[in-house]
Amino acid sequence: TVRFNDMLFFEPNKADINHNSYQLLDQLASLVEEMPNEVKIEGHTDQMPISTAQFPSNWELSVSRAVSVVHYIIYHARNKAHFPEYKIKRLERRLSASGYGEFQPIDRINAKAEINRRIDIVILQPKTEDKNLVEKPEPTISEEIEEKFGMVTE
């Protein structure tokens, strides 16, 4: 598990990624994109209640933040790393987002502590029995052309 304070990526009570965190997220995305493991992005908050139209509770805020990070990793693969579509699909299958609100604090004594507001990147062990995790061979040039342009060359 790699742990990041929420303030690295988000303004208080927001789930939109800060522009100043793009460089860090680009590095993180590059690592995640190349590993074969499933990766779970977890959002956590402190016990300070939130109640807005967008986030009626800390659960919505925490899961929205996790989903924002997942979306950024996919965005990076597609638009910065220029992955072919088959690799993006594999990446999408390996990513998940979870929100735990205030219910899994690190500091249980001070549940409002800053350390409890975080994004955790959890690298899971591949399941040997899971056939979806078995990487297929790289497509041939013909298969890539067909995927990109919808035509087959001989």
Side-chain angles (χ1 to χ4, degrees):
T1 300
V2 181
R3 184 162 285 147
F4 297 96
N5 183 286
D6 72 330
M7 294 180 73
L8 286 173
F9 302 138
F10 306 103
E11 297 294 324
N13 301 325
K14 303 285 183 196
D16 299 322
I17 294 175
N18 288 334
H19 297 287
N20 58 358
S21 65
Y22 287 170
Q23 186 175 9
L24 175 61
L25 279 170
D26 287 343
Q27 292 173 9
L28 174 68
S30 293
L31 294 172
V32 168
E33 289 161 358
E34 293 302 327
M35 62 179 53
N37 307 61
E38 289 185 18
V39 178
K40 183 166 60 165
I41 312 299
E42 297 179 344
H44 301 268
T45 66
D46 59 18
Q47 282 189 347
M48 294 293 294
I50 186 172
S51 183
T52 66
Q54 187 176 12
F55 306 117
S57 75
N58 280 323
W59 269 331
E60 284 87 1
L61 176 60
S62 64
V63 78
S64 292
R65 287 177 167 185
V67 168
S68 290
V69 173
V70 168
H71 282 296
Y72 189 88
I73 293 170
I74 299 298
Y75 166 83
H76 181 274
R78 181 172 279 123
N79 299 301
K80 293 187 176 185
H82 304 290
F83 274 26
E85 195 60 31
Y86 77 93
K87 278 193 170 185
I88 292 169
K89 295 292 182 201
R90 285 183 193 167
L91 178 62
E92 290 171 334
R93 283 193 302 269
R94 293 187 298 104
L95 294 173
S96 63
S98 299
Y100 294 97
E102 68 268 22
F103 298 106
Q104 291 188 6
I106 294 171
D107 185 342
R108 295 183 187 281
I109 304 299
N110 180 6
K112 295 180 181 179
E114 182 179 308
I115 194 171
N116 294 329
R117 298 187 307 267
R118 65 194 189 276
I119 291 290
D120 288 343
I121 312 298
V122 182
I123 312 300
L124 303 171
Q125 292 295 322
K127 300 173 196 164
T128 54
E129 70 276 1
D130 189 348
K131 293 179 182 168
N132 290 332
L133 290 179
V134 176
E135 292 288 328
K136 296 177 184 173
E138 295 284 324
T140 65
I141 292 174
S142 295
E143 290 168 332
E144 283 192 41
I145 291 170
E146 182 179 4
E147 180 183 328
K148 277 188 176 183
F149 303 107
M151 63 180 131
V152 181
T153 61
E154 298 288 327

